[in-house]
Amino acid sequence: MESAPSRLASSAQLASFIHSLTCSRVHCLHTCWASAWGPGMPSNVFNWIPRWRQREVSQSCEAHHLQGQRESPPLSEGDCYPDTCRVPRVPRMLYPKAHVLQPTRVDVLLMTPWFAPIIWDGTYDSAILDAQFKNTTIGVVVFAIKKYVVFLKLFLETAEKYFMVGHRVIYYILTDRPADVPQIPLQEGRRVVILKVRNYTRWQDVSLHRMEMISNFSQQRFLHEVDYLVSADVDMKFSDHVGVEILSSLFGTLHPGFYASDRQRFTYERRPLSQAYIPEDEGDFYYAGGFFGGSVAEVYRLTMACHQAMVVDKANGIEAVWHDESHLNKYLLYHKPTKVLSPEYVWDERMLRKPPYLRRLRYVAVPKNHAQIRSR
């Protein structure tokens, strides 16, 4: 039987491979090794990795799988992102001390049962987070297909005022009307990228194909250009600060119409024939389809899975009740998000009264005539 060390061509090969790994979590390291070595992977492989070398791993396992061709300079502590590699060093700062016995909020749920934080106003310090996410590039995907292009101007203007201020941002505009994309003055380090896509006769088909388009472009360019990806509805406007507090490996946003509801009232897909089916006795939250995101690798996995589920549904002659949002909720039920955004991050002022515990409205719906805007 071949000995384990003989599997390696040289110690340099081992060192090079270890350096390519980026996640310090054991299950992620195991995945990387299994991918490289296949079913013959030695069971004691982690004994070969010096502990000092394990601590120096500083690029993500996700990048090893999905960003293999992305070239970037070696990561410094300032370039490291809290949820993908070692904890970055922050500069000396002065800020109020947190008190263990004096929680900042007692009126709302701050943590999910799987230890994902729920983001509300008053639960974080923007200055600390900005320092942690220094040198991060955030991509924003918006669909401006057919008449929805009219919402771009307000979306971009308000985003420049409130969204990720002080950070690098790429606005990816997916549209069938590139000539109608407005030119908006942008802050330094921010730019618009127009990606031409086809339109569809039915607005439902646009909704159903969004996951497919995001997954395709994630492979083609997002993985090579940005660190985090946010999918946002274009018929909205930013009305208050939305910053790096939302960033995590995978985040979803509580739907403003169901955040206080029992799971039986959630408008999940209830027909077992659909791939989006969720039984009435299951469900954590109902997530809004208009604002979700995470690392590019995780968004790619989410959108690819949702797209594949929609393909199966189409073959079976069924369409989920709320299209891509139904599939998003199914995915997030079994792939728990690492951060959950409160309804501050998606709200409709015309349809909902603002409760006292909702201190800020950050991203709100723009009044519109749905029938008119969804027509050709």
Side-chain angles (χ1 to χ4, degrees):
M1 181 176 178
E2 183 182 20
S3 64
S6 68
R7 299 289 302 272
L8 294 175
S10 66
S11 60
Q13 179 185 358
L14 174 60
S16 176
F17 185 74
I18 293 171
H19 183 69
S20 71
L21 301 178
T22 62
C23 189
S24 60
R25 293 169 294 197
V26 171
H27 77 274
C28 198
L29 284 168
H30 184 275
T31 301
C32 288
W33 275 98
S35 173
W37 290 100
M41 183 187 75
S43 60
N44 65 338
V45 68
F46 292 106
N47 293 336
W48 303 352
I49 306 177
R51 293 189 181 278
W52 67 268
R53 201 72 177 108
Q54 292 182 35
R55 290 195 300 267
E56 286 195 358
V57 170
S58 63
Q59 294 178 320
S60 75
C61 183
E62 293 164 350
H64 174 72
H65 285 295
L66 298 172
Q67 293 178 292
Q69 297 183 355
R70 180 180 179 183
E71 297 200 5
S72 59
L75 292 177
S76 66
E77 289 182 349
D79 294 323
C80 231
Y81 312 119
D83 62 309
T84 58
C85 55
R86 69 179 181 222
V87 177
R89 182 183 186 279
V90 298
R92 182 176 182 274
M93 305 172 67
L94 298 178
Y95 49 84
K97 177 189 177 300
H99 294 275
V100 173
L101 300 181
Q102 298 176 21
T104 56
R105 297 289 297 262
V106 295
D107 53 342
V108 290
L109 182 67
L110 301 180
M111 188 75 68
T112 70
W114 58 92
F115 282 122
I118 304 177
I119 309 304
W120 300 84
D121 180 55
T123 61
Y124 60 89
D125 189 312
S126 293
I128 298 174
L129 292 173
D130 282 336
Q132 287 184 307
F133 285 89
K134 182 183 178 182
N135 298 326
T136 301
T137 301
I138 303 100
V140 187
V141 178
V142 292
F143 289 83
I145 296 177
K146 298 197 289 189
K147 291 183 179 180
Y148 277 81
V149 74
V150 302
F151 296 108
L152 271 176
K153 185 175 185 294
L154 182 61
F155 176 90
L156 291 170
E157 288 177 342
T158 57
E160 281 299 285
K161 186 175 181 180
Y162 295 113
F163 182 78
M164 301 292 171
V165 176
H167 295 276
R168 294 192 298 262
V169 172
I170 300 178
Y171 298 103
Y172 294 109
I173 311 299
L174 279 62
T175 182
D176 60 327
R177 303 179 180 182
D180 294 336
V181 175
Q183 294 187 354
I184 304 297
L186 303 177
Q187 303 172 39
E188 183 180 356
R190 299 157 79 99
R191 60 192 175 100
V192 168
V193 172
I194 300 172
L195 301 174
K196 193 175 189 308
V197 297
R198 61 163 292 188
N199 64 24
Y200 295 87
T201 303
R202 301 187 312 145
W203 68 267
Q204 294 94 333
D205 290 325
V206 174
S207 178
L208 286 167
H209 283 277
R210 290 198 301 183
M211 294 295 190
E212 177 186 16
M213 288 186 272
I214 293 175
S215 64
N216 287 342
F217 281 115
S218 290
Q219 277 191 312
Q220 294 170 18
R221 62 183 305 163
F222 300 160
L223 283 164
H224 313 293
E225 296 178 354
V226 297
D227 303 297
Y228 292 91
L229 198 63
V230 178
S231 175
D233 278 355
V234 72
D235 55 343
M236 306 274 287
K237 68 176 181 179
F238 293 93
S239 56
D240 208 329
H241 168 89
V242 175
V244 295
E245 76 278 357
I246 73 172
L247 299 180
S248 189
S249 293
L250 183 64
F251 73 81
T253 305
L254 299 181
H255 194 291
F258 299 100
Y259 66 93
S261 301
D262 294 331
R263 59 166 61 121
Q264 288 76 19
R265 293 189 59 197
F266 293 164
T267 55
Y268 290 152
E269 174 54 66
R270 300 299 190 184
R271 295 169 294 175
L273 181 60
S274 173
Q275 296 295 303
Y277 167 68
I278 298 176
E280 290 195 6
D281 58 351
E282 293 186 42
D284 302 309
F285 305 108
Y286 190 88
Y287 299 99
F291 202 66
F292 67 90
S295 68
V296 185
E298 288 296 343
V299 173
Y300 169 76
R301 294 185 184 104
L302 180 157
T303 53
M304 176 57 75
C306 290
H307 167 59
Q308 291 173 341
M310 293 178 202
V311 170
V312 175
D313 272 6
K314 185 175 182 179
N316 291 331
I318 191 169
E319 195 172 278
V321 60
W322 289 110
H323 316 105
D324 56 334
E325 186 173 83
S326 296
H327 290 277
L328 172 72
N329 273 275
K330 175 67 174 285
Y331 186 90
L332 293 180
L333 173 60
Y334 298 114
H335 304 80
K336 308 293 190 190
T338 53
K339 189 172 286 186
V340 175
L341 308 186
S342 71
E344 295 174 5
Y345 292 88
V346 171
W347 195 257
D348 191 325
E349 294 178 284
R350 289 203 309 165
M351 299 183 64
L352 300 166
R353 180 179 298 177
K354 179 183 175 184
Y357 46 81
L358 207 63
R359 299 177 181 176
R360 306 172 82 166
L361 300 180
R362 304 171 186 273
Y363 189 50
V364 299
V366 174
K368 55 191 162 293
N369 183 322
H370 284 283
Q372 184 181 52
I373 205 69
R374 286 172 175 169
S375 67
R376 296 182 73 84

